Amino acid sequence: MAPMTRNFSPGGIPSPGVADYYRRRAAADVGLIVTEGVGVDHPAALGRESVGGGASPVLHGETALARWREVVAAAHEEGGKIVPQLWHQGVIRAPGTGYHPEAPSARPSGTWGPTEGAMVPPDYLELVRQDTAPLTESEIGDIIAGFARSAANARAVGFDGVALHGAHGYLIDSFIWQQTNRRADGWGGDLPARARFAAEVIRAVRAATAPDFPIVFRFSQWKLQDYDARIAATPAELEALLAPLVDAGVDVLDASTRIFTRPAFEGSDLGLAGWAKKLTGKPTMAVGGVGLDKDLQSSFAQPTVMTDNLALVAERVAKGEFDLVGVGRALLMDAQWVRRTREGQAVNPFRLEAYGSLD
Ligand SMILES: Cc1cc2nc3c(=O)[nH]c(=O)nc-3n(C[C@H](O)[C@H](O)[C@H](O)COP(=O)(O)O)c2cc1C
């Protein structure tokens, strides 16, 4: 199950329905659940969401941790595995919003990035487009320490590993992307230098957990600031980005794409997950459009139909292109999607209203 923000955790505390929401998926044979984005232990981690509410969970404080214990137990009772997606919204957090509105938003170079082609509504863009102060050295250290504390908490409450949100233009990705990282110190420069923040987070998470505690890292070409953005224009650039993450101790690379079959670079059919595996030898996860006929963005505007395209997934898994496949929207529409698809039964139809429910 791919990570999907749900906004059912007012004050950062998962509401009682969250455990059952994940339990239903584990019970219907989802192998690995990556939870919704969970704010790391840093005041500027979460703000008002670009789409929807602003009730994402956190993974610190007694009450939140007690609720997460229940969520983890629910998934485990059904034979599932579950990891939280650790999230710092960074550049994308609207200043003055979230659980700590007084905290300044965290931006590598103070900039939101380009404003053309952004996937956020115009009123949101107005809140974030102004430049702010770039992060200082000590602020960067505080955020890395926040990731490490949250990862240690994840392990303490029984999660099977952690997933790091290094995609879509949020904080980790904003260090990687040249448009949002103009720094000339040790945190900016060429691709390996821009990957340093991600690598330091991975190192700190590893040090705060255990040598065998799985760390999944999500990355993407596309950004909320620019759906057509690319951080790696060639396989060599992708390698320059991923090598420092592998050195730092990442276990699984989750390549977030719109459609998992789309070639990542000219001259090859390999998707982004396939390239990540070929270049690093690490297990990879593909995602995007499994069980559906439209990508995430198109499905907001165009009629979307549930489609059985699992033969394409199986073919690529058999070829060794990737090892895991993430299923997002199909699992929101139907908690039973895995079981029903496997047994050849009809699944629930696509409906945008499912985004607003915890069914
Ligand atoms: C409602 C919703 C919320 C999402 N929230 C997150 C999130 O918190 N973190 C993340 O990395 N991706 C998030 N995504 C992206 C999904 O993880 C996934 O990559 C995307 O939906 C494509 O997969 P799909 O075609 O199977 O839906 C979200 C997607 C949806 C539909």
Side-chain angles (χ1 to χ4, degrees), residues 44 90-96 103-113 126-136 139 171 180 183:
V91 169
I92 291 170
R93 169 181 178 268
S105 285
R107 299 174 162 199
S109 298
T111 175
W112 149 270
E126 280 313 306
L127 298 174
V128 289
R129 65 187 302 160
Q130 297 301 330
D131 284 356
T132 59
L135 283 169
T136 64
E139 286 169 340
L171 184 68
T180 38
R183 297 177 77 101

Side-chain angles (χ1 to χ4, degrees), residues 24-319:
R24 280 193 291 280
R25 272 107 189 139
D29 297 343
V30 172
L32 170 65
I33 293 168
V34 182
T35 71
E36 62 207 289
V38 177
V40 293
D41 188 2
H42 182 265
L46 296 175
R48 197 193 104 171
E49 308 293 338
S50 54
V51 183
S56 280
V58 297
L59 192 44
H60 55 270
E62 239 173 76
T63 320
L65 294 182
R67 284 286 164 78
W68 281 120
R69 274 200 175 86
E70 292 167 18
V71 172
V72 171
H76 286 172
E77 277 162 24
E78 305 297 342
K81 300 273 184 208
I82 184 163
V83 301
Q85 185 189 46
L86 301 187
W87 191 24
H88 194 303
Q89 292 182 347
V91 169
I92 291 170
R93 169 181 178 268
T97 70
Y99 302 130
H100 301 280
E102 71 293 348
S105 285
R107 299 174 162 199
S109 298
T111 175
W112 149 270
T115 50
E116 296 296 318
M119 288 169 71
V120 298
D123 62 326
Y124 196 84
L125 198 55
E126 280 313 306
L127 298 174
V128 289
R129 65 187 302 160
Q130 297 301 330
D131 284 356
T132 59
L135 283 169
T136 64
E137 187 76 24
S138 75
E139 286 169 340
I140 291 174
D142 287 347
I143 296 175
I144 293 172
F147 271 96
R149 282 194 302 276
S150 295
N153 289 344
R155 182 161 174 256
V157 300
F159 278 110
D160 298 290
V162 285
L164 299 173
H165 197 338
H168 308 167
Y170 292 105
L171 184 68
I172 295 178
D173 198 19
S174 73
F175 273 88
I176 297 170
W177 193 30
Q178 204 161 20
Q179 295 274 8
T180 38
N181 184 352
R182 310 276 172 77
R183 297 177 77 101
D185 60 2
W187 301 101
D190 61 10
L191 255 178
R194 299 201 306 274
R196 177 179 163 211
F197 180 78
E200 296 294 335
V201 168
I202 293 167
R203 265 193 202 98
V205 165
R206 174 66 69 219
T209 56
D212 60 353
F213 193 64
I215 302 176
V216 181
F217 186 92
R218 174 167 261 210
F219 67 100
S220 66
Q221 300 274 33
W222 68 268
K223 317 290 164 215
L224 277 165
Q225 297 93 327
D226 178 2
Y227 203 36
D228 295 316
R230 279 163 84 78
I231 41 175
T234 62
E237 288 185 1
L238 186 62
E239 190 169 20
L241 162 65
L242 298 179
L245 313 187
V246 172
D247 283 350
V250 79
D251 295 297
V252 177
L253 293 166
D254 169 12
S256 170
T257 60
R258 310 167 196 192
I259 298 286
F260 74 98
T261 48
R262 206 164 279 174
F265 304 109
E266 274 182 25
S268 161
D269 284 346
L270 279 186
L272 195 61
W275 274 107
K277 182 165 178 170
K278 184 181 161 106
L279 294 168
T280 65
K282 286 284 167 191
T284 60
M285 171 145 69
V287 70
V290 176
L292 295 155
D293 74 337
K294 298 276 181 337
D295 71 52
L296 175 59
Q297 186 68 351
S298 312
S299 68
F300 284 107
Q302 297 167 25
T304 302
V305 175
M306 307 296 277
T307 309
D308 185 348
N309 52 11
L310 287 183
L312 291 173
V313 178
E315 195 182 296
R316 287 176 183 243
V317 170
K319 275 198 230 159

Side-chain angles (χ1 to χ4, degrees), residues 328-350:
R329 291 165 295 156
L331 273 170
L332 276 195
M333 303 308 141
D334 194 337
Q336 304 272 328
W337 182 86
V338 176
R339 182 167 288 168
R340 286 181 170 161
T341 302
R342 179 193 284 150
E343 293 173 0
Q345 295 172 19
V347 298
N348 294 342
F350 183 89

